[in-house]
Amino acid sequence: MKKTLFVLLTLSLVAGGAMAQAKSKAKWDAKKGSYTVEADAHIVLGIDNDKYGAALVALWNKVHPEAADAVEFLNTPSDSSAKKLADLQGDAPDVVMALTSDVPKFAGAMAPIESNTVKIVSADADQQFYKSANAMFKGQILALPFAYDGMAFAWNKTMLTKLGLITGKVTKNNLPVEFDTWEKIFALSKKWDAQRPTYMDKRVNIVFPMSLDEPWSGFSSVTSSGWGIFSAGKPLDPGFKDPKFAKGLEFIKAAHDAKVSVEADGQVTPGASMGWRWDPYLNDQSAPFGLVGTWMDVNGALTKGGHELHFGNMPTWGGVTLKPLLKVKVYVLNAYSKYPSASAELLRIIFTKEGMQAMIANSAYVPALKAGAKIAPDYSEDVVKKEMAAAFATSYVEPVTVTLPDNPTKQAMDVYYNIGMNQFYKDVWDGKLTPADAQTKIVAAADKWISENNKKQ
């Protein structure tokens, strides 16, 4: 019976927030500037990183020695943690790391965030993510974004320097002045086609390991003329008919013609071989330019490889900055927690300067904060995260909370991942389809998918 009520509540919230949740049960102590911890409190933090979890428990014990050991952490995959709130209810962790895309689906199992924490976090959070995570709840704040989840453009300074290609000057967007546009990078690739250089005793066959068979990390290519999926805010119109999208497909063809990736025999790498190639970029120094994800052990790779990597905005094409997809992970509270005030206090501690410092010191996460945030950590010991955070400012926010109007449990963004976009990208690269023909087929495939999925359940 409880599960049925939960499903009805969640669907109501997803459909437009018509059913308001109860107010927070947390008790704020204005004199102390913190929440009252229940005398017998024992709460669990659901988190997907042991080192980070242990650091937060240690921080809790430092802040609340009178309630030491009241908090423990449980390693919980963030892609299933929100569902566990619904399935386990009171037996699930009290404070949970989750995916933004799961907030609308399982909102009925989440407690509203108390207003004092909202004031603190709303002032410092990356506003586009803070607003998008809670947009459909009409004033209720259920999720607090804490870490970016995406990829940033990187360039191998060591490699470029040893090949005699850069002078050390960088732009305001932290790119080498010699390669701040794709026009310059493609020109380098064409030059190398005549004679490939050697680096670390290997011939450099890849200038940029463009992804085509893995559409999430390959998304940036089709933003090369300013296009963005669902940019008009219409859940039934992903925007594939836009001429700017067609020009994005033309960018893929231009990259092919520039031979940004070739095989050992000098032939252009076939589209089928251009899937996820970012790990060799980071760990094996296979190319001078690439994308690196927030989950990757960048510092570990740099220590092992002995190379210097820097991050910045993606280079421009025709004056337009390309944009990788970006989303965030969030923290939410269990609506069934026996200790709502202690849970709120742990959440408050997570969103302090010390909490952010614990994050960057003990995980690969990059805090999702606006420039100049008061709770921003000291990045002096981790320049990589500082540069990645700045690079994310020009990323494209993945619209994971946009749902189909007649089927609110289905994300509209799923259209991008379920119509064989990777095959269209590969066909353009391989010359099997012109950009115009690919656009026509993509529009038809998207219309069909939306028609089949936008149905009341």
Side-chain angles (χ1 to χ4, degrees):
M1 180 65 179
K2 284 200 298 183
K3 190 65 175 291
T4 301
L5 288 173
F6 161 77
V7 172
L8 290 174
L9 175 57
T10 299
L11 289 175
S12 177
L13 283 164
V14 168
M19 181 180 272
Q21 292 192 334
K23 292 183 178 180
S24 170
K25 298 178 182 178
K27 296 181 180 179
W28 176 255
D29 187 328
K31 291 184 178 180
K32 294 182 179 180
S34 61
Y35 294 95
T36 301
V37 178
E38 294 92 343
D40 59 342
H42 183 84
I43 59 175
V44 177
L45 169 65
I47 197 168
D48 64 6
N49 182 296
D50 287 349
K51 191 177 178 182
Y52 178 29
L56 288 177
V57 170
L59 181 58
W60 168 277
N61 291 337
K62 177 183 176 182
V63 175
H64 288 288
E66 81 289 354
D69 302 323
V71 176
E72 65 175 304
F73 77 89
L74 177 68
N75 194 311
T76 306
S78 54
D79 61 356
S80 61
S81 59
K83 185 176 184 301
K84 285 185 178 180
L85 291 182
D87 292 341
L88 302 179
Q89 299 184 355
D91 294 324
D94 302 86
V95 181
V96 175
M97 177 191 293
L99 302 181
T100 310
S101 55
D102 283 339
V103 176
K105 299 176 187 176
F106 305 106
M110 299 173 187
I113 311 297
E114 202 276 332
S115 61
N116 286 283
T117 297
V118 169
K119 290 177 184 177
I120 295 170
V121 179
S122 62
D124 284 343
D126 185 315
Q127 291 302 299
Q128 55 187 345
F129 286 108
Y130 177 78
K131 292 176 181 178
S132 65
N134 298 285
M136 59 181 63
F137 304 121
K138 295 187 176 181
Q140 291 277 7
I141 303 300
L142 301 183
L144 298 181
F146 78 96
Y148 291 119
D149 187 12
M151 305 191 81
F153 182 80
W155 49 283
N156 188 327
K157 182 177 180 179
T158 304
M159 183 178 188
L160 290 168
T161 301
K162 288 186 176 182
L163 292 176
L165 296 171
I166 61 174
T167 63
K169 295 180 180 180
V170 298
T171 68
K172 63 179 181 180
N173 296 322
N174 208 39
L175 296 176
V177 293
E178 294 87 352
F179 299 107
D180 59 347
T181 72
W182 287 103
E183 286 87 349
K184 294 177 182 178
I185 292 174
F186 288 179
L188 173 68
S189 185
K190 291 175 181 178
K191 180 180 179 180
W192 278 5
D193 188 43
Q195 184 176 359
R196 294 278 163 180
T198 299
Y199 177 71
M200 295 177 61
D201 298 323
K202 294 182 291 186
R203 196 174 79 155
V204 184
N205 290 320
I206 305 171
V207 176
F208 178 71
M210 180 181 284
S211 176
L212 297 172
D213 207 21
E214 197 289 300
W216 182 76
S217 63
F219 176 84
S220 59
S221 293
V222 289
T223 69
S224 57
S225 287
W227 179 81
I229 193 164
F230 292 106
S231 61
K234 300 177 181 179
L236 300 181
D237 180 15
F240 294 133
K241 297 177 183 178
D242 192 330
K244 291 181 180 179
F245 177 69
K247 289 184 178 180
L249 295 171
E250 290 172 4
F251 177 82
I252 294 175
K253 184 179 184 302
H256 171 278
D257 294 345
K259 297 185 177 181
V260 296
S261 180
V262 300
E263 300 299 285
D265 61 2
Q267 297 299 306
V268 175
T269 302
S273 298
M274 297 176 68
W276 188 269
R277 300 189 294 165
W278 309 115
D279 292 288
Y281 166 75
L282 174 63
N283 299 310
D284 304 331
Q285 302 187 61
S286 61
F289 309 102
L291 295 177
V292 174
T294 49
W295 57 90
M296 294 180 174
D297 183 10
V298 183
N299 288 319
L302 299 186
T303 299
K304 183 177 180 180
H307 56 299
E308 187 176 345
L309 210 63
H310 288 283
F311 298 85
N313 296 352
M314 288 196 80
T316 61
W317 175 255
V320 176
T321 300
L322 275 67
K323 298 183 176 184
L325 283 172
L326 182 66
K327 48 191 174 184
V328 292
K329 288 189 177 181
V330 297
Y331 277 110
V332 299
L333 295 175
N334 188 340
Y336 306 99
S337 174
K338 296 177 183 178
Y339 306 103
S341 200
S343 298
E345 176 61 3
L346 175 58
L347 191 65
R348 183 194 69 81
I349 290 172
I350 290 172
F351 284 92
T352 61
K353 194 178 188 71
E354 293 77 13
M356 294 292 113
Q357 200 70 45
M359 182 203 304
I360 70 164
N362 297 282
S363 75
Y365 290 129
V366 177
L369 301 172
K370 71 178 185 180
K374 292 181 180 179
I375 63 173
D378 178 2
Y379 286 105
S380 60
E381 298 298 320
D382 200 332
V383 177
V384 164
K385 288 190 178 70
K386 181 178 182 179
E387 291 185 356
M388 290 184 82
F392 289 139
T394 56
S395 295
Y396 192 82
V397 178
E398 186 170 355
V400 293
T401 58
V402 178
T403 59
L404 297 180
D406 289 338
N407 183 7
T409 61
K410 178 69 71 174
Q411 292 176 38
M413 185 64 190
D414 284 352
V415 68
Y416 180 75
Y417 302 113
N418 287 279
I419 62 173
M421 191 65 75
N422 59 327
Q423 190 59 54
F424 293 121
Y425 288 169
K426 290 185 294 181
D427 284 348
V428 170
W429 174 270
D430 292 332
K432 296 178 180 179
L433 286 175
T434 66
D437 289 340
Q439 180 184 31
T440 298
K441 290 180 177 294
I442 290 169
V443 168
D447 287 346
K448 182 176 183 293
W449 185 90
I450 291 173
S451 176
E452 292 174 348
N453 287 275
N454 186 38
K455 296 178 180 179
K456 293 181 180 181
Q457 302 299 300

